[in-house]
């Protein structure tokens, strides 16, 4: 699961250029298909579970019907459609703009694990729609009683900054520095480290994002906790940009 996850989220989402991303996802799907074939008859296999999860994360618009089948019944030969798998499939359908808000609300209401608020927040935020992004942005940086917990904040950010939505997200990159610095100052160390670490826009690999990070670091009001975490994320972003420039053909 760790290897496939790294390949998906680090290599495909960060190191490949946008025009290469489709091919990268296709190669990972083929790998997952092969692993599912090799583990047929072993429903409890950890490899099979990882392959199933990986296939879902790499599914494209042409796989919406297949995703719907998995959502309803799970994979043939396992794994079954438990809460975790249903959330993964529903989130992917949202990324593909093939699931509505009502489905997310219904799944959150049916979730008996207590994880519904976090996973629902991520699923809602992933849809490639301007209204959805505006609502997620407002929720991420809300204050007072409306402020999300660090766990929900991370989920919102992961959904908001979905890879493959660069054009849609570009206007928000310019607003990011001010919002992060302000919210970190208002909400303290835990939120600062979340915003600069787990909730950092890792899927946005661009000079504009690097400029936004630089603007945040140059802000005289930045908190020490935010600065420390943001410097680490800045290093990762520079590395991703270097990889794209070096191996981008």
């Amino acid at each position: 699961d760790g290897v496939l996850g790294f390949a998906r989220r680090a290599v495909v989402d960060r190191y490949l250029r946008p025009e290469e991303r489709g091919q990268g996802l296709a190669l990972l799907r083929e790998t997952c298909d092969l692993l599912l074939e090799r583990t047929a008859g072993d429903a409890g296999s950890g490899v099979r579970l990882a392959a199933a999860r990986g296939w879902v994360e790499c599914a494209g618009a042409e796989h919406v019907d297949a995703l719907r089948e998995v959502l309803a019944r799970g994979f043939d030969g396992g794994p079954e459609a438990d809460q975790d798998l249903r959330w993964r499939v529903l989130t992917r359908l949202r990324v593909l703009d093939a699931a509505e808000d009502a489905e997310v609300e219904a799944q959150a209401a049916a979730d008996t694990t207590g994880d519904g608020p976090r996973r629902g927040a991520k699923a809602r935020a992933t849809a490639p729609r301007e209204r959805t992004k505006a609502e997620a942005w407002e929720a991420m940086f809300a204050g007072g009683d409306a402020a999300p917990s660090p766990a929900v904040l991370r989920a919102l950010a992961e959904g908001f900054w979905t890879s493959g939505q660069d054009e849609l997200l570009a206007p928000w990159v310019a607003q990011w520095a001010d919002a992060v610095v302000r919210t970190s100052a208002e909400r303290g160390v835990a939120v600062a480290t979340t915003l600069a670490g787990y909730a950092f826009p890792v899927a946005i690999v661009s000079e504009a994002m690097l400029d936004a990070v630089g603007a945040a670091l140059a802000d005289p009001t930045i908190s020490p906790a935010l600065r420390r975490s943001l410097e680490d994320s800045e290093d990762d972003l520079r590395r991703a940009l270097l990889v794209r420039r070096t191996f981008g053909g």
Side-chain angles (χ1 to χ4, degrees):
D1 200 1
V3 173
L4 290 172
F6 177 82
R8 170 69 169 80
R9 289 181 286 276
V11 178
V12 174
D13 288 352
R14 300 210 77 186
Y15 294 156
L16 294 185
R17 294 178 301 172
E19 61 269 26
E20 299 169 329
R21 188 169 174 274
Q23 183 180 4
L25 289 175
L27 288 172
L28 282 178
R29 277 198 310 272
E30 292 175 9
T31 300
C32 292
D33 280 331
L34 179 60
L35 291 172
L36 287 169
E37 290 176 9
R38 290 185 174 180
T39 56
D42 188 4
S45 165
V47 172
R48 185 172 184 81
L49 178 61
R53 290 172 173 174
W55 187 92
V56 168
E57 287 196 4
C58 296
E62 68 274 24
H63 304 108
V64 166
D65 289 344
L67 286 168
R68 286 286 175 190
E69 288 290 323
V70 173
L71 184 65
R73 288 177 282 277
F75 282 85
D76 290 339
E80 298 179 351
D82 61 6
Q83 297 280 12
D84 177 72
L85 184 59
R86 287 181 61 81
W87 273 123
R88 290 173 185 270
V89 174
L90 185 56
T91 300
R92 189 61 187 166
L93 286 168
R94 289 283 290 178
V95 172
L96 299 172
D97 205 12
E100 298 301 323
D101 293 352
E103 289 187 80
V104 178
E105 302 307 324
Q107 177 60 28
D111 192 321
T112 58
T113 67
D115 208 20
R118 181 182 68 83
R119 304 198 72 163
K122 179 177 179 178
R124 279 188 290 272
T126 56
R129 307 172 188 176
E130 290 185 5
R131 176 183 60 81
T132 297
K133 297 302 182 185
E135 291 173 351
W137 182 271
E138 183 177 355
M140 278 193 293
F141 297 110
D145 293 339
S149 68
V152 172
L153 173 58
R154 175 181 176 180
L156 282 165
E158 288 176 346
F160 184 91
W161 301 110
T162 294
S163 60
Q165 298 178 354
D166 301 54
E167 185 175 348
L168 175 64
L169 296 171
W172 301 100
V173 171
Q175 303 179 45
W176 177 84
D178 287 342
V180 166
V181 172
R182 171 182 53 79
T183 304
S184 297
E186 292 173 353
R187 298 196 56 206
V189 174
V191 168
T193 54
T194 298
L195 283 169
Y198 290 122
F200 185 81
V202 294
I204 307 300
V205 181
S206 66
E207 293 294 339
M209 189 68 237
L210 188 61
D211 290 343
V213 175
L217 289 171
D219 191 312
T221 66
I222 188 173
S223 68
L226 179 60
R227 178 179 295 280
R228 286 193 299 271
S229 297
L230 205 52
E231 286 173 345
D232 291 338
S233 293
E234 182 187 37
D235 286 344
D236 291 339
L237 176 57
R238 289 185 183 279
R239 186 178 305 109
L241 285 167
L242 178 62
V243 169
R244 287 191 180 188
R245 286 195 297 267
T246 303
F247 299 101

